[in-house]
Amino acid sequence: MALAWAGLRWFERINIFIPSRQFSGVIPSAFGIKEEEVFLRAQDGPLLHAWFLPAAPFRTNPLDTPVVGPLAGRTLTLLYCHGNAGNISDRLFKANLFHRLGLNVLLFDYRGYGRSQGTPSEQGTYKDAEAAWRFLTEKKKIPADRLVIYGESLGNGVALETALRHPPQALILDSAFTSVIDMGLEIFPYLPVRWLVRFRYDNLSKIPKIRCPVLVMHSAEDAVVPFRMGRRLFEAAPQPKEFFQMKGTHDEGYIDAGPAYPRAIQAFLERALRTIRKNL
């Protein structure tokens, strides 16, 4: 019985977390970015590897036009919560899009990923994001109203939990699922998923409590996380909120969307800044 239970826990973990210790050959300098390599200490011990990509002045955005509007006079920092596979080296193409919008970007690896110590778990990823938040607010002295939390795939659960604990200036959810249980029922419809899973990432129950502008992004062609889950999250989110429909696959929707993807993010952040200033 104990062996069967251990096997079940192992099966759950390898289906939710797919870390890689191997770094891709791509490094920030390939994009002309001078990164700051940092190691963050989670409160329960593991040392986490991260790259801080400082915003470069006088750059152009992905539309090849100068950054204009509220973003031009106010540097924002994006806390990047990545998906369940690989490590931060696999996110540099997308991180470069954000960097070219004039944003600082903090890419960090969860425990067990890349050069980070430990073994991944739901609560562990929350603690890892907490360490990243503390680094930005305490070490870098960046106020919360200049922080944007971004999540992709599994990272949406991490981003949502972090935004609940520490309301940022804005929250971006890219290809998000409603919960691990809902995803399990999609993949294993004949199993008693509700009774089997330990990791929940219950995004649908959390999003109504968010107290910042929210952008939900999802592709109708996503074959991994159903489009309807993104729509359900958007409908459950409080105002102010926006929805951007991408096209293409789960992992490459931001590429297939072309310039519309960074344009949507830039416009959302400009509107979010105006909303906050209006309410001051």
Side-chain angles (χ1 to χ4, degrees):
M1 186 68 175
L3 186 60
W5 182 254
L8 179 62
R9 296 279 69 86
W10 171 82
F11 181 76
E12 178 187 16
R13 186 183 298 277
I14 66 167
N15 277 277
I16 294 177
F17 305 108
I18 313 174
S20 173
R21 293 291 190 184
Q22 185 68 39
F23 268 48
S24 70
V26 183
I27 56 177
S29 60
F31 298 96
I33 302 172
K34 185 172 175 140
E35 82 279 6
E36 177 185 342
E37 186 174 43
V38 295
F39 287 89
L40 318 172
R41 178 72 68 179
Q43 288 181 325
D44 59 336
L47 200 61
L48 312 171
H49 179 241
W51 285 326
F52 181 74
L53 313 178
F58 310 116
R59 297 199 72 191
T60 58
N61 65 15
L63 308 180
D64 294 323
T65 58
V67 178
V68 296
L71 294 183
R74 183 172 183 176
T75 300
L76 300 177
T77 298
L78 185 137
L79 175 57
Y80 192 135
C81 302
H82 68 67
N84 71 334
N87 55 55
I88 57 174
S89 69
D90 301 301
R91 272 72 193 188
L92 283 171
F93 287 97
K94 188 183 287 185
N96 183 52
L97 289 181
F98 303 143
H99 190 258
R100 293 179 68 191
L101 286 173
L103 304 172
N104 298 316
V105 180
L106 178 64
L107 273 168
F108 71 100
D109 263 330
Y110 312 123
R111 59 191 65 198
Y113 284 74
R115 297 170 187 164
S116 294
Q117 298 174 345
T119 302
S121 68
E122 180 179 1
Q123 292 303 317
T125 58
Y126 297 155
K127 292 174 183 176
D128 300 340
E130 184 77 18
W133 179 272
R134 288 200 319 269
F135 169 78
L136 292 174
T137 57
E138 297 174 12
K139 180 76 173 177
K140 290 296 185 181
K141 307 296 183 186
I142 302 172
D145 67 354
R146 294 199 179 190
L147 286 173
V148 177
I149 301 178
Y150 169 87
E152 65 177 16
S153 196
L154 180 74
N156 287 289
V158 184
L160 259 170
E161 179 68 21
T162 307
L164 281 178
R165 299 181 183 186
H166 306 286
Q169 184 265 337
L171 173 66
I172 302 174
L173 303 178
D174 186 334
S175 308
F177 55 90
T178 48
S179 72
V180 168
I181 288 178
D182 291 343
M183 284 298 298
L185 291 171
E186 283 284 326
I187 301 170
F188 307 108
Y190 303 111
L191 291 180
V193 174
R194 295 182 188 280
W195 304 103
L196 296 177
V197 299
R198 176 179 46 169
F199 304 133
R200 300 300 177 104
Y201 290 107
D202 191 355
N203 299 330
L204 189 60
S205 71
K206 294 177 181 179
I207 199 167
K209 305 170 190 174
I210 291 296
R211 293 295 175 263
C212 68
V214 179
L215 172 62
V216 179
M217 315 179 81
H218 214 112
S219 171
E221 302 164 29
D222 191 331
V224 177
V225 179
F227 179 72
R228 67 177 182 279
M229 289 193 182
R231 290 300 308 180
R232 285 185 69 193
L233 287 169
F234 172 73
E235 290 160 5
Q239 294 286 355
K241 60 184 177 181
E242 299 181 23
F243 189 90
F244 174 72
Q245 182 170 328
M246 296 186 291
K247 59 182 179 179
T249 66
H250 178 74
D251 293 320
E252 298 183 355
Y254 76 100
I255 297 174
D256 294 336
Y261 183 87
R263 184 187 293 122
I265 291 175
Q266 182 177 24
F268 164 70
L269 292 178
E270 289 173 349
R271 285 190 286 270
L273 281 170
R274 285 198 294 269
T275 298
I276 288 175
R277 289 173 178 173
K278 185 177 179 181
N279 293 334
L280 290 178

